[in-house]
Amino acid sequence: MELIEKLNWRYAAKAMNGNQISQEKVDNIIEAISLAPTSSGLQPFEVVVVTNQEVKDKIKAVAWNQSVVSDCSHLLVFAAWDTYTADRINYMFDLTNEVRGFKNEGWENYRQQLLSSYVPRPAQENFEHAARQAYIAFSQAIAAAAFEGVDATPMEGFDTAAVDEILGLEAKGLKSCVMLPLGYRDEENDWLVNLPKVRKSKEDLLIKVD
């Protein structure tokens, strides 16, 4: 039940106090991101870890001036592949073969299936698919942060094109989709800190098929 207790503790902090997170905690959150499941194991995204204050301030300016962007310890920007390419798909399949130490005919057939179905698709469709995979890891990062006693503020409220330009993502074939400031809540200045968590009842949330 410890995880559930931690998830009840967490909320989307609206103000952070600027205190720094230990490297161990950051490493654990990043490891959780790495371990997140993704479609076909492709991990079609990268995570930009921003600690440079000047860069955080620039991003704040294109993120509705939300203070947590500049006052956080670490700003994680989840950037999905702008499209699927043969090189990107082959890299992950080759890596799997290298790590496992063997080739499997079924796995190689699956490689060809993805190459023939993903690569020809429109780039926007591929990006949207990749972004959904990034969101899976994003959600896991939120849970991992809570487990570490670190506050996190899920954010879609920012100009993605501007963030892409600030971070030079286009040249890397990436597009930002969601951000996660990590830090510690400023209890004196956060209007949300003491308000009860509101969630649907289980009756409204669940549709049971018995």
Side-chain angles (χ1 to χ4, degrees), residues 123-177:
Q124 182 61 27
E125 182 179 350
N126 278 338
F127 165 71
E128 291 172 359
H129 182 270
R132 288 194 293 272
Q133 312 315 306
Y135 270 84
I136 295 171
F138 172 72
S139 178
Q140 192 145 302
I142 296 169
F147 193 81
E148 294 291 336
V150 170
D151 286 298
T153 307
M155 290 180 58
E156 288 184 311
F158 62 96
D159 183 333
T160 56
V163 169
D164 292 353
E165 183 176 355
I166 291 168
L167 297 177
L169 296 182
E170 183 178 358
K172 298 178 173 66
L174 300 168
K175 297 170 70 174
S176 60
C177 53

Side-chain angles (χ1 to χ4, degrees), residues 64-91:
W64 300 355
N65 285 311
Q66 295 176 81
S67 65
V68 290
V69 175
S70 57
D71 295 340
C72 68
S73 170
H74 292 64
L75 176 64
L76 306 186
V77 180
F78 288 74
W81 290 353
D82 56 3
T83 192
Y84 288 103
T85 66
D87 285 345
R88 283 171 159 170
I89 291 172
N90 283 326
Y91 172 82

